Amino acid sequence: MFMEMLNIYRIKLNFQIVFLFFLLNFGNLFSQSFSVNYQCFYDSAFPKVIPAVLKYSNGVSLFEEKLGEAKDWKESKDDIFAQLGFTNGAVVQVGATDVISLFIQRDFNTQKILFTDYVGSKIYEITDFWIPIQWQITQESKVISNYTCFKAKTVFRGLVWEVWFTSEIPVSIGPWKLYGLPGLILEATSENKKYSYIVTEINFKSDDIIIFTSDKYKKINIKEMVENRKSIRHSINSHLDRGESSIDLSNLIETMEPKYEWEE
């Protein structure tokens, strides 16, 4: 019992030290600019490895997945979208030099988050809710890219995540929509092992200004995105019920956000 209480005390003390370090250094680094390169591993309906870059400047982060550079598809899984006649959402070429990327922008100054994603065969600009993520920080540590990192866990929109973050870069951002720790997230893996992010390079810059603007995408909010996807799925299922297709759609509904907060 004594050792258990001692371990709990150590965990709390480590968290307090890390959080204090974060408060003391956040203001200094908040005005700096840097970028972080990741490899994104997605073992879902369309298994792929996608390079991504996370940029930060003046309280704004921008996460870009470079879909045009996706690699290592697994031939064992069917290309369901192609069979249905939809555009494949993982590797899309529009013209000889036009490479599509998906973005997630988080503005800490205004507490606004928007992202681009596919709904059916079209890309939309989607406004999301600013949701505080509750983390459980452990005393377990390891070194990643010469930075001492601590392990933390959370549940975000129905999916359990385990991440490694470093307080040596005290900015509360990470890959995808993960954020809220007293330091940069360098690695993240979902508990079901389907989604992983691994840092490959960190570059500090002073002249990188983040601006995401696009007039070519229709703007919707995340609830509209969810409802539109449900409608598409219902339409597909209706065709299947009439015997118009024999496509297995069991993997099509895999998602990184299986349960939204308004569905609680």
Side-chain angles (χ1 to χ4, degrees), residues 2-19:
F2 173 76
M3 293 302 299
E4 183 178 351
M5 294 179 63
L6 181 60
N7 286 333
I8 294 174
Y9 173 77
R10 286 174 177 171
I11 292 173
K12 291 182 177 180
L13 181 60
N14 285 337
F15 172 75
Q16 290 172 354
I17 292 173
V18 170
F19 190 68

Side-chain angles (χ1 to χ4, degrees), residues 34-186:
F34 64 91
S35 63
V36 186
N37 293 331
Y38 295 90
Q39 285 283 16
C40 312
F41 298 87
Y42 298 132
D43 185 14
S44 55
F46 309 102
K48 53 194 174 288
V49 179
I50 301 176
V53 59
L54 174 65
K55 296 182 179 180
Y56 176 85
S57 181
N58 297 319
V60 179
S61 67
L62 184 67
F63 183 69
E64 177 188 1
E65 290 182 321
K66 301 178 180 180
L67 303 187
E69 299 177 28
K71 297 179 180 179
D72 297 336
W73 285 62
K74 295 181 181 178
E75 297 179 357
S76 60
K77 291 197 175 183
D78 294 332
D79 188 342
I80 299 173
F81 272 143
Q83 294 182 54
L84 290 171
F86 292 146
T87 301
N88 191 305
V91 180
V92 182
Q93 297 290 338
V94 183
T97 60
D98 191 1
V99 177
I100 289 180
S101 293
L102 295 182
F103 297 90
I104 302 173
Q105 179 174 282
R106 184 179 293 275
D107 190 335
F108 288 86
N109 304 301
T110 60
Q111 289 200 339
K112 292 183 179 180
I113 178 171
L114 62 85
F115 62 98
T116 58
D117 204 352
Y118 281 89
V119 179
S121 60
K122 297 180 180 179
I123 296 180
Y124 290 80
E125 181 181 313
I126 304 159
T127 302
D128 203 346
F129 296 110
W130 188 279
I131 302 172
I133 300 179
Q134 303 299 319
W135 293 94
Q136 177 186 358
I137 299 176
T138 74
Q139 62 178 344
E140 188 174 348
S141 65
K142 69 176 181 179
V143 175
I144 302 174
S145 298
N146 296 320
Y147 293 97
T148 299
C149 298
F150 290 93
K151 183 167 74 172
K153 296 184 70 175
T154 191
V155 179
F156 178 67
R157 286 180 169 166
L159 202 61
V160 178
W161 287 90
E162 178 182 292
V163 308
W164 294 88
F165 73 96
T166 177
S167 58
E168 296 173 31
I169 306 178
V171 176
S172 184
I173 60 175
W176 187 54
K177 297 181 182 180
L178 300 174
Y179 84 111
L181 283 162
L184 175 68
I185 297 173
L186 299 187

